[in-house]
Amino acid sequence: MQATDNLADSRYARMRWNTPLSEEHAALLLRRLDVRPGARVLDLGCGWGELLLRAVAAGGVSGALATRGVGVDTDDAALARGRRSAAGRSLDRHVAFVMGEAAAWQEPADRVLCVGSAHAFGGTGAALDALATVVRPGGRLLFGDAYWERPPTPDTEQIFGPEVTDLPGLVEVARERGWRVLHLSTADQREWDDFESTWLAGRQEWLLRYPEDPRAADVRAELDDRLRQYVGGYRGVLGLAYLVLGR
């Protein structure tokens, strides 16, 4: 049976955002980011911009001091999803989604988000250097980045690259570049399990619905490999830190 739906759309269909983060944790981060009325908010590597939309709404969008936001990403489908979400919340006049490279963006903002996108700049240190040029004086940066909770196996380290460090090392990289840590929290195990499960879920459901589709074997192999890597490799080993930083 040939599937008539769009397999590509199922990839992120069950995900609220593309990072291990609960609703409660997201609310905490937005409070620490402290978006003020009239602020300009920038999300580099925004995906479909769920955190961006919430940050803009938190700042307020009525009156003369309306908060405005821009999300930048190279994924056209994700940007389209973000535009639909903005329109559904009557935020489309206040939030723009722009196709572009995160590392090429130069227009500064009062509040900047960069969660899981350090690789777009060439790594953690390069990202923190570049982001210093787009956070306005007195502004804040929400920076989400990976670290090792425990020493990885060689195979696991190969997946994520040699630059990943432990949490003290990540904090030190930020400090060396002139950032002050206004808030630090990390994804817990339930957040990680939910993230990995929802990353798989849309396509798992697609497989159950279309087991005879010509693409099913490749999709099944990809999902099985990812689940093996997670439960047998980086579960409880790879962490994700959320830092609210100021300069």
Side-chain angles (χ1 to χ4, degrees):
M1 177 179 177
Q2 176 67 43
T4 57
D5 68 325
N6 190 338
L7 174 59
D9 288 345
S10 70
R11 177 176 291 271
Y12 302 116
R14 297 302 180 188
M15 303 184 76
R16 182 184 301 111
W17 31 56
N18 195 11
T19 189
L21 187 65
S22 66
E23 288 276 5
E24 295 78 11
H25 197 169
L28 170 65
L29 295 176
L30 291 177
R31 289 196 299 272
R32 298 296 183 260
L33 193 60
D34 190 27
V35 182
R36 304 291 179 87
R40 296 299 180 262
V41 184
L42 171 66
D43 190 344
L44 294 173
C46 66
W48 52 90
E50 179 64 28
L51 268 179
L52 170 65
L53 294 174
R54 296 187 187 204
V56 170
V61 293
S62 61
L65 292 178
T67 307
R68 298 189 181 278
V70 175
V72 180
D73 206 286
T74 57
D75 187 333
D76 188 55
L79 293 170
R81 176 176 170 179
R83 294 184 188 108
R84 292 193 299 270
S85 294
R89 303 179 207 184
S90 299
L91 291 173
D92 45 316
R93 292 194 304 159
H94 303 279
V95 180
F97 287 91
V98 178
M99 171 71 76
E101 297 286 345
W105 190 264
Q106 297 182 356
E107 185 176 344
D110 305 293
R111 298 292 187 268
V112 177
L113 297 83
C114 182
V115 176
S117 297
H119 60 88
F121 296 86
T124 302
L128 288 169
D129 285 338
L131 291 165
T133 68
V134 295
V135 178
R136 287 175 176 162
R140 294 187 180 188
L141 165 68
L142 172 57
F143 186 68
D145 203 16
Y147 68 94
W148 297 122
E149 291 190 357
R150 302 203 313 266
T153 65
D155 287 345
T156 299
E157 185 176 33
Q158 186 174 9
I159 295 172
F160 296 99
E163 192 193 37
V164 179
T165 183
D166 58 12
L167 185 57
L170 175 59
V171 172
E172 187 64 12
V173 170
R175 188 201 64 79
E176 288 174 346
R177 284 159 173 78
W179 294 98
R180 305 303 301 173
V181 178
L182 304 175
H183 170 83
L184 182 155
S185 54
T186 62
D188 63 25
Q189 193 60 66
R190 180 173 293 183
E191 288 175 304
W192 267 108
D193 288 346
D194 184 58
F195 166 64
E196 291 289 336
S197 296
T198 54
W199 192 89
L200 298 169
R203 283 169 297 161
Q204 298 283 32
E205 293 168 356
W206 182 90
L207 277 175
L208 292 173
R209 187 174 182 183
Y210 303 108
E212 303 304 322
D213 186 278
R215 299 164 292 178
D218 289 340
V219 174
R220 187 179 298 111
E222 179 190 0
L223 299 184
D224 288 350
D225 285 346
R226 173 67 175 250
L227 187 58
R228 290 190 194 101
Q229 288 174 349
Y230 178 56
V231 299
Y234 61 92
R235 185 179 188 272
V237 176
L238 185 71
L240 201 295
Y242 297 98
L243 308 177
V244 176
L245 303 172
R247 296 179 67 83

